[in-house]
CSV table of all heavy atoms in Angstrom, one decimal:
chain,number,residue,atom,x,y,z
A,193,MET,N,-28.9,6.3,6.8
A,193,MET,CA,-29.6,6.8,5.6
A,193,MET,C,-30.8,7.6,6.1
A,193,MET,O,-31.7,7.2,6.8
A,193,MET,CB,-30.1,5.6,4.7
A,193,MET,CG,-29.1,4.9,4.0
A,193,MET,SD,-29.8,3.6,2.9
A,193,MET,CE,-28.5,3.4,1.7
A,194,ASP,N,-30.8,8.9,5.7
A,194,ASP,CA,-31.9,9.8,6.0
A,194,ASP,C,-32.5,10.3,4.7
A,194,ASP,O,-31.9,11.1,4.0
A,194,ASP,CB,-31.3,11.0,6.8
A,194,ASP,CG,-32.4,11.9,7.3
A,194,ASP,OD1,-33.6,11.8,6.8
A,194,ASP,OD2,-32.2,12.7,8.3
A,195,PHE,N,-33.6,9.8,4.3
A,195,PHE,CA,-34.2,10.1,3.0
A,195,PHE,C,-35.1,11.3,3.1
A,195,PHE,O,-35.9,11.5,2.1
A,195,PHE,CB,-35.0,8.8,2.5
A,195,PHE,CG,-34.2,7.7,2.2
A,195,PHE,CD1,-34.1,6.5,3.0
A,195,PHE,CD2,-33.3,7.7,1.1
A,195,PHE,CE1,-33.3,5.4,2.7
A,195,PHE,CE2,-32.5,6.6,0.8
A,195,PHE,CZ,-32.5,5.5,1.6
A,196,ARG,N,-35.0,12.1,4.1
A,196,ARG,CA,-35.8,13.3,4.2
A,196,ARG,C,-35.2,14.5,3.4
A,196,ARG,O,-35.2,15.6,3.8
A,196,ARG,CB,-36.0,13.8,5.6
A,196,ARG,CG,-36.8,12.8,6.5
A,196,ARG,CD,-36.8,13.2,7.9
A,196,ARG,NE,-35.4,13.2,8.5
A,196,ARG,CZ,-35.1,13.7,9.7
A,196,ARG,NH1,-36.1,14.3,10.4
A,196,ARG,NH2,-33.9,13.7,10.1
A,197,VAL,N,-34.6,14.2,2.2
A,197,VAL,CA,-34.0,15.2,1.4
A,197,VAL,C,-34.7,15.1,0.0
A,197,VAL,O,-35.3,14.0,-0.4
A,197,VAL,CB,-32.5,14.9,1.2
A,197,VAL,CG1,-31.8,15.1,2.5
A,197,VAL,CG2,-32.2,13.6,0.6
A,198,PRO,N,-34.7,16.1,-0.8
A,198,PRO,CA,-35.3,16.0,-2.1
A,198,PRO,C,-34.6,14.9,-3.0
A,198,PRO,O,-33.4,14.8,-3.0
A,198,PRO,CB,-35.0,17.4,-2.7
A,198,PRO,CG,-34.9,18.3,-1.5
A,198,PRO,CD,-34.2,17.5,-0.5
A,199,GLN,N,-35.4,14.1,-3.6
A,199,GLN,CA,-34.9,13.0,-4.4
A,199,GLN,C,-34.6,13.5,-5.9
A,199,GLN,O,-35.4,14.2,-6.4
A,199,GLN,CB,-35.8,11.9,-4.4
A,199,GLN,CG,-36.0,11.2,-3.0
A,199,GLN,CD,-34.7,10.7,-2.5
A,199,GLN,OE1,-34.0,9.9,-3.1
A,199,GLN,NE2,-34.4,11.1,-1.2
A,200,PRO,N,-33.5,13.0,-6.4
A,200,PRO,CA,-33.2,13.4,-7.8
A,200,PRO,C,-34.1,12.7,-8.8
A,200,PRO,O,-34.8,11.7,-8.4
A,200,PRO,CB,-31.7,12.9,-8.0
A,200,PRO,CG,-31.6,11.8,-7.0
A,200,PRO,CD,-32.5,12.2,-5.8
A,201,ARG,N,-34.2,13.1,-10.0
A,201,ARG,CA,-35.1,12.5,-11.0
A,201,ARG,C,-34.7,11.1,-11.3
A,201,ARG,O,-35.5,10.3,-11.7
A,201,ARG,CB,-35.1,13.4,-12.3
A,201,ARG,CG,-35.7,14.7,-12.1
A,201,ARG,CD,-35.7,15.5,-13.4
A,201,ARG,NE,-36.6,14.8,-14.4
A,201,ARG,CZ,-36.7,15.2,-15.7
A,201,ARG,NH1,-36.0,16.3,-16.1
A,201,ARG,NH2,-37.5,14.6,-16.6
A,202,HIS,N,-33.4,10.8,-11.2
A,202,HIS,CA,-32.9,9.5,-11.4
A,202,HIS,C,-32.0,9.1,-10.3
A,202,HIS,O,-31.1,9.8,-9.8
A,202,HIS,CB,-32.1,9.4,-12.7
A,202,HIS,CG,-31.6,8.1,-13.1
A,202,HIS,ND1,-30.4,7.6,-12.6
A,202,HIS,CD2,-32.1,7.1,-13.8
A,202,HIS,CE1,-30.2,6.3,-13.1
A,202,HIS,NE2,-31.3,6.0,-13.8
A,203,GLY,N,-32.2,7.9,-9.7
A,203,GLY,CA,-31.4,7.4,-8.6
A,203,GLY,C,-32.1,7.8,-7.2
A,203,GLY,O,-33.3,7.9,-7.1
A,204,LEU,N,-31.2,8.0,-6.2
A,204,LEU,CA,-31.7,8.3,-4.9
A,204,LEU,C,-30.7,9.2,-4.2
A,204,LEU,O,-29.5,9.3,-4.6
A,204,LEU,CB,-32.0,7.0,-4.1
A,204,LEU,CG,-30.8,6.1,-3.8
A,204,LEU,CD1,-30.2,6.4,-2.5
A,204,LEU,CD2,-31.3,4.6,-3.9
A,205,ALA,N,-31.2,9.8,-3.1
A,205,ALA,CA,-30.3,10.7,-2.3
A,205,ALA,C,-30.7,10.5,-0.8
A,205,ALA,O,-31.8,10.2,-0.5
A,205,ALA,CB,-30.5,12.2,-2.7
A,206,PHE,N,-29.7,10.7,0.0
A,206,PHE,CA,-29.9,10.6,1.4
A,206,PHE,C,-28.9,11.4,2.2
A,206,PHE,O,-27.8,11.6,1.7
A,206,PHE,CB,-29.9,9.1,1.9
A,206,PHE,CG,-28.7,8.3,1.6
A,206,PHE,CD1,-27.6,8.3,2.5
A,206,PHE,CD2,-28.6,7.6,0.4
A,206,PHE,CE1,-26.5,7.5,2.2
A,206,PHE,CE2,-27.4,6.9,0.1
A,206,PHE,CZ,-26.4,6.8,1.1
A,207,GLY,N,-29.2,11.7,3.5
A,207,GLY,CA,-28.3,12.3,4.4
A,207,GLY,C,-27.6,11.2,5.2
A,207,GLY,O,-28.1,10.1,5.3
A,208,TYR,N,-26.5,11.6,5.8
A,208,TYR,CA,-25.7,10.6,6.6
A,208,TYR,C,-25.1,11.4,7.7
A,208,TYR,O,-24.4,12.4,7.5
A,208,TYR,CB,-24.6,10.0,5.6
A,208,TYR,CG,-23.6,9.1,6.1
A,208,TYR,CD1,-24.0,7.8,6.6
A,208,TYR,CD2,-22.3,9.3,6.1
A,208,TYR,CE1,-23.1,6.9,7.0
A,208,TYR,CE2,-21.3,8.4,6.5
A,208,TYR,CZ,-21.7,7.2,7.0
A,208,TYR,OH,-20.8,6.3,7.4
A,209,VAL,N,-25.3,11.0,9.0
A,209,VAL,CA,-24.9,11.8,10.1
A,209,VAL,C,-24.1,10.9,11.1
A,209,VAL,O,-24.7,9.9,11.6
A,209,VAL,CB,-26.0,12.5,10.8
A,209,VAL,CG1,-25.5,13.3,12.0
A,209,VAL,CG2,-26.8,13.4,9.9
A,210,LEU,N,-22.9,11.2,11.4
A,210,LEU,CA,-22.1,10.5,12.3
A,210,LEU,C,-21.6,11.4,13.5
A,210,LEU,O,-20.7,12.2,13.3
A,210,LEU,CB,-20.8,9.9,11.7
A,210,LEU,CG,-21.0,8.9,10.5
A,210,LEU,CD1,-19.7,8.4,10.0
A,210,LEU,CD2,-21.9,7.8,10.9
A,211,PRO,N,-22.3,11.4,14.6
A,211,PRO,CA,-22.0,12.3,15.7
A,211,PRO,C,-20.7,11.9,16.3
A,211,PRO,O,-20.4,10.7,16.6
A,211,PRO,CB,-23.1,12.1,16.7
A,211,PRO,CG,-24.2,11.4,15.9
A,211,PRO,CD,-23.6,10.6,14.9
A,212,LEU,N,-19.9,12.9,16.6
A,212,LEU,CA,-18.6,12.8,17.3
A,212,LEU,C,-18.6,13.3,18.7
A,212,LEU,O,-17.8,12.9,19.5
A,212,LEU,CB,-17.5,13.5,16.5
A,212,LEU,CG,-17.3,13.1,15.0
A,212,LEU,CD1,-16.3,14.0,14.3
A,212,LEU,CD2,-16.9,11.6,14.9
A,213,ALA,N,-19.6,14.1,19.0
A,213,ALA,CA,-19.9,14.7,20.3
A,213,ALA,C,-21.2,15.3,20.2
A,213,ALA,O,-21.8,15.4,19.1
A,213,ALA,CB,-18.8,15.7,20.7
Side-chain angles (χ1 to χ4, degrees):
M193 288 182 158
D194 186 344
F195 292 110
R196 297 175 296 170
V197 296
Q199 295 298 310
R201 294 181 63 184
H202 183 273
L204 61 94
F206 57 90
Y208 178 64
V209 181
L210 300 181
L212 304 174

